[in-house]
Amino acid sequence: MLGDAKVQPMLPVKDLGKAQKFYEETLGLKREGEMSGEAVTYRSGEGTTLVVYRSEFAGTNKGTAALWEVDDVDGTVKELKSKGVTFEHYDLPGLTRKGDVHLGGAMKVAWFKDPGGNILSIQNRDH
């Protein structure tokens, strides 16, 4: 039923202006559309979009809301840190940490939050 449909992450934020600056300037996403100052749709990668929208429930999710697969986790962490991104550190079974990157076998992952408190991550493609 839904197996052939595209899925689109929806990320709630309290301050849409701060979120727009973060997603556009810090993460480098391209704005694809806007709905009455209440939501912004961004293009990320080929055929993928995510929506950032104004919500009173922003920051209540305690799990990862969106994950980007990248070729170079360490390089991406370094670039995001240079733009002011602060990374989260978690003690999770089976993972060790080197700097801001968590390692588990061939998997590399790093977590950070957007201005709305959404937990985002970057992970290597080949793990």
Side-chain angles (χ1 to χ4, degrees), residues 102-121:
H102 294 73
L103 309 166
M107 182 186 75
K108 288 183 168 187
V109 61
W111 288 275
F112 58 99
K113 291 182 179 179
D114 75 359
N118 294 298
I119 300 170
L120 310 174
S121 69

Side-chain angles (χ1 to χ4, degrees), residues 49-104:
T49 58
L50 66 83
V51 174
V52 177
Y53 68 99
R54 190 184 321 273
S55 172
E56 65 182 279
F57 302 108
T60 60
N61 182 5
K62 302 299 180 201
T64 303
L67 174 144
W68 282 266
E69 290 184 330
V70 298
D71 292 323
D72 179 7
V73 172
D74 295 305
T76 304
V77 165
K78 185 176 179 179
E79 184 177 348
L80 289 172
K81 281 184 85 161
S82 76
K83 294 181 175 192
V85 172
T86 301
F87 285 85
E88 303 291 310
H89 299 147
Y90 301 111
D91 291 323
L92 299 171
L95 295 183
T96 58
R97 189 167 53 86
K98 181 178 176 187
D100 292 312
V101 178
H102 294 73
L103 309 166

Side-chain angles (χ1 to χ4, degrees), residues 13 28 30 36 48 52 87 95 105 111 125:
V13 298
K30 302 293 182 210
S36 307
T48 305
V52 177
F87 285 85
L95 295 183
W111 288 275
R125 290 183 204 278

